[in-house]
Amino acid sequence: MNSFLGFGSKYVERHHAKTGQRAYLHITRTRKTQEQKTAENKEDDSNSGSGDPPKKKPTRLAIGIEGGFDVEQEQYQEEVKLVLFPDRQEVTSDDLASMPDVVRERVSLSMAGLQAADSVSHTLQVQQWDGEVRQESKHAAELKQLDNGVKIPPCGWKCEVCDLQENLWMNLTDGMVLCGRRYFDGSGGNNHALLHYQQTGYPLAVKLGTITPDGADVYSYDEDDMVLDSKLPEHLSHFGIDMMTMEKTERTMTELEIAVNQRVGEWEVIQESGTTLRPLWGPGLTGMKNLGNSCYLNSVMQVLFTIPDFQTKYVSNIDKIFNEAPSDPTQDFKTQVAKLGYGLLSGEYSKPAPDPGDDPNSSTEPRGDQVGIAPRMFKALVGRGHPEFSTNRQQDAQEFLLHFINMVERNCRSGMNPSEAFRFLVEEKIVCQQSQKAKYTQRVDYIVQLPVPMDQATNMEELQEAERHREEAESSGAPPSAAPRAKIPFASCLAALSEPETLIDFWSSAVQAKTTATKTTRFASFPDHLVIQIKKFTFGLDWVPKKLDVSIDVPDTLDLSALRAMGQQPGEELLPEVAPLPLMTPDVEVKGILGSHGKEDDDSLYSPLLSPVLDDSTVSQLCEMGFPLEACRKAVYYTGNTGIDAAMNWVMGHMEDPDFSAPLVLPGSSSAPGTTPTESLPEEHLVTIVSMGFSRDQATRALRATNNVLERAVDWIFSHLDDLESMDVSEGGRSGGGSEASREPPPGPHVHDGTGKYELFAFISHMGTSTMCGHYVCHIKKDQQWVIFNDQKVCASEKPPKDLGYLYFYRRVVE
């Protein structure tokens, strides 16, 4: 009752022993029976005239707002008592009544305060969100309406192009009644109202069937949003429509969206909806609640905790993790990941959810719903401060996987690092076609991204015929037929990745000019677990995001041995390295850097470090292209003032670097230009970086290299791990390992290499038109049985849709 931290019965004694805390508020929540809820509803109805209003279904697309979606507080009844440790002495409200006034008053106030406070899960669940906030259209006040004599009847409408009688919109400028947009599944309208706007520019339309005395759905094509029209009665009257006499005959857009939100997670939205799936229970078969578009997180974490490395790191070691947890475990990454992993693997929460019985006429087939776990605290922690993952919007599962791997990397500076299971080295070989000299580079990666060559579809004739029919239907106004799915061989995707790529206008250091080169990508190492992303999400010619509807025959077993990198071949010459500019010039001087030229044993001496002369015209040209100034200076410096082409190549090759925009740090220095070792470093920044497992010296160097900006320092330190691990950096930023020449070269990143043969054990599928909407589920192979995890539903899979996946997970086959 001091910290507001909540514990299950298994862990409350551990907290008491660790902290000495004695008083805990024990809250027991019991789900109400259907009879209790029915009786309460009747009581609400009878008291609606003199007391609280009766409970209603959601009427607003909102959370935590009157009329919106409500939390399930009313589904449970609570019993509260005080428990005193170590004897677990229970104190009820009746017991409090017999205690001295001072004790009774203080304890009662504390209990009341705790009950009134929102828990973390409750706070996250009911964050106020109003999806119906609409702005006044900029076209409403001065909307042009044609005097064309059009009068709209009160009913019996149909599209003036294709005769559809539902989802009809009347343009408020000319009175044309046309059908609405076509949805991604082929339903809805035929886009005729949208096409009319594109042809005429008339911006506002009202949805017929939603007009009532209280208003109607009005859409602005120009503003691309639902809007308010304060002059709607006047605009409707122009075409003979009296709002005061109209009745609603169609669901509004809000009601349609509410219906969709109430159906999130149902079997109807996944590929196996046509079969009766057998629910599964037990360890490793635990469902996860959808926290409002959190299915991307649920799917990724279900797969990760089937991998032995993550199980060993966070679950096998859970007692040690909990015992070493800080005073506030809600903010400790290792504790929250371990808590989630234990919840998924223990089986303690893999139990059938009680049937709410709200619909007595519902199907009696097994639903597969579980009690499951709600990863609210985990989601809040991993998303904290992130512009996307901190929201309740749908996200890309691949981006979340990389985000989580990055967090694991940052929190595993010491001890086992489970993300190494995915880490591998990629070798890129560039061959100058004029000189036939080669350049080899290596980079670390965690995911293989496979392109989708649509021109390699095996059913190309069928696709072309369907496109012809679509164009004919569009021109005639007839409803289009369902489009076939493109069938792409997996081998074609793999070939598109491994085939040499032609580089035009490559600046060759061998011929000192632009020429053509080829780039080949190969595996320099093979990871224990290989993640393959099918690049289904792309952009159309109009730069509108779209998803490729493809079927790919992804194999159960995979042999990538032929894609192993071979390194430099005998007799092969390398492209000459471009030498950086000399560090000193006779005329330009900047502030001194400790130990650069002075006596290494005398920290009071600061000798001048002279900056390089950079070609201002090249720097300016790059800046005019929109690149950051410091990145442009680096590009010119590291290409030795050899011209715009070489600098541009450097920029394109380093845009993803974490310190791309950071100030140029010259070799031999630990500071950015303009800083000196005498500048004080923020102690709180040092402590933060040290808490991640780095030494104080390393934290010092990172802060000095980034002008003491914490966020940039953290990014900098993770992009310079090899340098930091290969030298002993002192407080002054000097190397304690002797001269540059005497030091060993920095070791490469640690990877688990082995055979390139793999077997498929999991895949994540996505349903919807883009990564920002739709639904994710995952299939995982457990004991030779495919299992589908669809949030809280966990069932044996009958027909796993392996050809429609988005992310595929393979494990190495050990021969």
Side-chain angles (χ1 to χ4, degrees):
M1 293 181 71
N2 280 335
S3 63
F4 276 47
L5 297 175
F7 302 91
S9 58
K10 288 179 58 177
Y11 300 102
V12 65
E13 289 192 13
R14 183 196 302 258
H15 185 258
H16 160 68
K18 186 175 181 179
T19 65
Q21 170 69 35
R22 293 193 59 214
Y24 293 83
L25 189 69
H26 186 205
I27 303 174
T28 306
R29 301 179 73 211
T30 307
R31 192 180 182 96
K32 295 177 183 177
T33 64
Q34 183 59 34
E35 290 75 15
Q36 288 174 314
K37 288 189 285 185
T38 302
E40 288 178 0
N41 288 337
K42 287 181 179 178
E43 184 178 347
D44 286 334
D45 291 339
S46 63
N47 292 338
S48 60
S50 57
D52 295 330
K55 292 181 174 61
K56 299 177 180 179
K57 291 183 177 180
T59 58
R60 291 182 62 83
L61 190 66
I63 297 174
I65 293 176
E66 179 65 29
F69 286 86
D70 202 358
V71 291
E72 294 186 354
Q73 289 286 83
E74 73 278 1
Q75 301 295 325
Y76 298 88
Q77 54 188 10
E78 291 186 349
E79 179 186 355
V80 180
K81 57 187 138 184
L82 184 67
V83 179
L84 302 178
F85 279 77
D87 301 326
R88 282 188 178 259
Q89 178 185 352
E90 296 184 353
V91 180
T92 65
S93 55
D94 293 336
D95 296 329
L96 280 177
S98 61
M99 290 185 174
D101 292 344
V102 175
V103 175
R104 182 178 66 251
E105 183 177 346
R106 293 188 63 182
V107 173
S108 297
L109 285 173
S110 297
M111 292 176 67
L114 279 168
Q115 285 182 270
D118 281 341
S119 66
V120 172
S121 60
H122 185 261
T123 302
L124 291 174
Q125 186 175 4
V126 300
Q127 289 173 339
Q128 278 200 356
W129 170 74
D130 193 345
E132 291 185 54
V133 175
R134 296 178 182 176
Q135 304 298 323
E136 177 77 7
S137 171
K138 64 182 181 181
H139 302 288
E142 304 295 335
L143 182 70
K144 177 183 177 182
Q145 291 191 288
L146 304 182
D147 292 323
N148 53 10
V150 172
K151 298 298 176 184
I152 304 299
C155 59
W157 312 293
K158 65 179 181 179
C159 178
E160 297 183 29
V161 176
C162 67
D163 292 339
L164 280 181
Q165 298 181 17
E166 294 180 347
N167 191 19
L168 299 177
W169 295 75
M170 184 191 78
N171 192 285
L172 288 174
T173 295
D174 61 5
M176 286 284 285
V177 176
L178 299 163
C179 60
R181 298 175 190 253
R182 182 185 302 122
Y183 304 137
F184 73 93
D185 60 358
S187 63
N190 292 320
N191 289 337
H192 289 137
L194 173 61
L195 292 172
H196 182 64
Y197 160 71
Q198 292 172 344
Q199 294 165 0
T200 64
Y202 301 155
L204 299 185
V206 61
K207 185 176 184 181
L208 297 175
T210 68
I211 303 172
T212 69
D214 297 323
D217 275 357
V218 178
Y219 189 81
S220 171
Y221 291 102
D222 177 51
E223 295 158 286
D224 195 21
D225 205 354
M226 302 296 296
V227 295
L228 295 178
D229 178 2
S230 57
K231 291 190 174 183
L232 185 60
E234 176 185 327
H235 293 155
L236 291 174
S237 177
H238 181 83
F239 296 108
I241 299 176
D242 182 359
M243 276 184 65
M244 302 309 294
T245 62
M246 298 296 289
E247 295 183 1
K248 189 164 77 74
T249 59
E250 276 206 30
R251 287 193 290 181
T252 65
M253 299 304 292
T254 295
E255 289 169 332
L256 289 171
E257 290 191 58
I258 288 174
V260 170
N261 277 275
Q262 288 175 320
R263 292 179 57 239
V264 167
E266 292 179 345
W267 291 113
E268 286 79 6
V269 300
I270 65 172
Q271 293 297 319
E272 299 186 66
S273 57
T275 58
T276 301
L277 300 177
R278 176 172 56 89
L280 298 175
W281 327 97
L285 298 168
T286 304
M288 295 174 70
K289 293 182 180 178
N290 194 312
L291 307 179
N293 291 326
S294 65
C295 52
Y296 68 92
L297 178 150
N298 294 353
S299 297
V300 169
M301 299 313 298
Q302 289 282 12
V303 174
L304 290 185
F305 273 108
T306 64
I307 295 174
D309 305 64
F310 285 87
Q311 295 176 356
T312 301
K313 175 71 176 183
Y314 294 110
V315 181
S316 302
N317 214 16
I318 195 166
D319 286 334
K320 183 173 184 292
I321 292 174
F322 285 174
N323 286 333
E324 295 176 354
S327 57
D328 184 3
T330 65
Q331 304 304 310
D332 184 59
F333 178 80
K334 192 184 299 183
T335 300
Q336 293 307 316
V337 178
K339 173 184 165 185
L340 175 63
Y342 179 80
L344 292 176
L345 299 178
S346 66
E348 291 184 14
Y349 308 95
S350 182
K351 302 170 184 176
D355 191 340
D358 291 332
D359 183 6
N361 299 317
S362 62
S363 171
T364 58
E365 69 181 43
R367 293 164 49 243
D369 294 67
Q370 293 189 7
V371 173
I373 56 177
R376 293 189 181 96
M377 205 167 289
F378 171 81
K379 182 177 185 293
L381 181 62
V382 298
R384 186 178 60 194
H386 193 281
E388 293 297 335
F389 299 126
S390 59
T391 71
N392 282 334
R393 295 190 295 269
Q394 185 63 277
Q395 304 299 336
D396 186 347
Q398 179 256 358
E399 290 184 4
F400 176 75
L401 173 60
L402 288 178
H403 171 70
F404 182 72
I405 287 176
N406 187 38
M407 295 195 74
V408 172
E409 293 275 11
R410 295 187 176 201
N411 286 275
C412 290
R413 291 285 302 148
S414 59
M416 175 188 178
N417 183 348
S419 67
E420 290 179 0
F422 300 120
R423 187 189 296 163
F424 61 96
L425 292 175
V426 176
E427 178 190 272
E428 291 184 345
K429 174 183 178 181
I430 298 178
V431 178
C432 166
Q433 293 301 290
Q434 190 167 339
S435 66
Q436 290 302 307
K437 295 183 179 181
K439 176 183 179 182
Y440 289 87
T441 58
Q442 284 192 350
R443 59 179 170 83
V444 173
D445 216 332
Y446 296 87
I447 294 180
V448 176
Q449 295 182 310
L450 283 188
V452 181
M454 296 297 290
D455 58 347
Q456 300 293 313
T458 57
N459 59 337
M460 187 62 75
E461 292 184 4
E462 181 187 10
L463 295 173
Q464 292 172 344
E465 182 67 20
E467 179 62 19
R468 282 195 294 270
H469 285 308
R470 187 193 66 78
E471 292 175 353
E472 291 172 1
E474 201 168 79
S475 61
S476 64
S481 56
R485 180 173 287 125
K487 298 178 181 178
I488 312 293
F490 181 81
S492 298
C493 300
L494 205 56
L497 172 75
S498 58
E499 288 178 351
E501 175 187 355
T502 300
L503 304 178
I504 301 174
D505 290 339
F506 172 76
W507 192 86
S508 170
S509 58
V511 298
Q512 292 291 302
K514 285 193 294 186
T515 184
T516 303
T518 58
K519 183 173 78 171
T520 308
T521 303
R522 291 291 184 268
F523 289 89
S525 70
F526 287 115
D528 290 342
H529 293 79
L530 181 72
V531 185
I532 294 179
Q533 176 196 15
I534 304 297
K535 297 178 70 174
K536 291 185 174 184
F537 299 99
T538 182
F539 291 92
L541 296 176
D542 53 359
W543 288 97
V544 174
K546 68 174 184 177
K547 178 182 175 182
L548 302 176
D549 186 17
V550 293
S551 169
I552 300 176
D553 58 338
V554 177
D556 288 322
T557 59
L558 196 58
D559 188 352
L560 301 178
S561 303
L563 297 181
R564 167 80 72 173
M566 305 303 292
Q568 184 179 358
Q569 299 301 297
E572 186 177 52
E573 291 188 58
L574 298 181
L575 284 166
E577 291 289 337
V578 177
L581 297 170
L583 276 181
M584 292 182 295
T585 57
D587 53 348
V588 183
E589 183 174 353
V590 295
K591 292 183 180 179
I593 303 298
L594 174 63
S596 296
H597 301 282
K599 298 177 182 179
E600 290 197 359
D601 59 350
D602 185 356
D603 285 353
S604 65
L605 290 180
Y606 295 87
S607 58
L609 177 69
L610 302 165
S611 69
V613 172
L614 302 178
D615 184 354
D616 290 338
S617 64
T618 306
V619 173
S620 298
Q621 287 181 67
L622 290 173
C623 287
E624 288 170 2
M625 298 178 190
F627 299 112
L629 172 61
E630 288 298 333
C632 300
R633 296 182 74 246
K634 287 184 193 174
V636 175
Y637 172 76
Y638 286 113
T639 55
N641 267 350
T642 50
I644 185 65
D645 295 319
M648 189 65 179
N649 282 339
W650 189 95
V651 167
M652 301 309 293
H654 292 78
M655 288 181 66
E656 301 300 322
D657 292 355
D659 58 347
F660 179 67
S661 304
L664 171 62
V665 180
L666 302 177
S669 78
S670 61
S671 306
T675 65
T676 72
T678 56
E679 293 182 27
S680 61
L681 298 173
E683 183 64 26
E684 63 273 17
H685 291 1
L686 284 169
V687 170
T688 299
I689 298 177
V690 169
S691 70
M692 296 179 181
F694 296 97
S695 71
R696 189 175 177 88
D697 290 346
Q698 293 169 333
T700 298
R701 185 176 185 216
L703 286 168
R704 284 188 172 150
T706 54
N707 286 335
N708 294 343
V709 178
L710 178 60
E711 291 77 10
R712 281 173 46 198
V714 172
D715 283 337
W716 186 94
I717 205 169
F718 279 100
S719 64
H720 291 76
L721 289 179
D722 295 343
D723 296 334
L724 293 173
E725 290 169 357
S726 65
M727 61 183 67
D728 178 19
V729 183
S730 72
E731 275 291 323
R734 292 173 293 153
S735 169
S739 67
E740 188 75 29
S742 67
R743 285 201 304 270
E744 292 294 324
H750 187 254
V751 294
H752 301 174
D753 197 7
T755 176
K757 296 181 179 180
Y758 294 93
E759 63 178 357
L760 182 69
F761 74 93
F763 62 95
I764 294 175
S765 306
H766 173 268
M767 285 61 121
T769 54
S770 81
T771 55
M772 296 298 112
C773 66
H775 187 53
Y776 285 98
V777 300
C778 68
H779 287 72
I780 303 175
K781 200 171 188 179
K782 292 179 177 280
D783 299 325
Q784 303 306 309
Q785 163 72 60
W786 281 102
V787 179
I788 181 170
F789 291 81
N790 184 21
D791 292 333
Q792 282 177 262
K793 297 182 176 71
V794 180
C795 295
S797 173
E798 296 294 331
K799 297 178 180 178
K802 289 183 283 188
D803 60 322
L804 301 177
Y806 174 49
L807 296 175
Y808 293 88
F809 296 79
Y810 285 84
R811 64 167 67 97
R812 194 196 316 276
V813 177
V814 180
E815 297 175 339

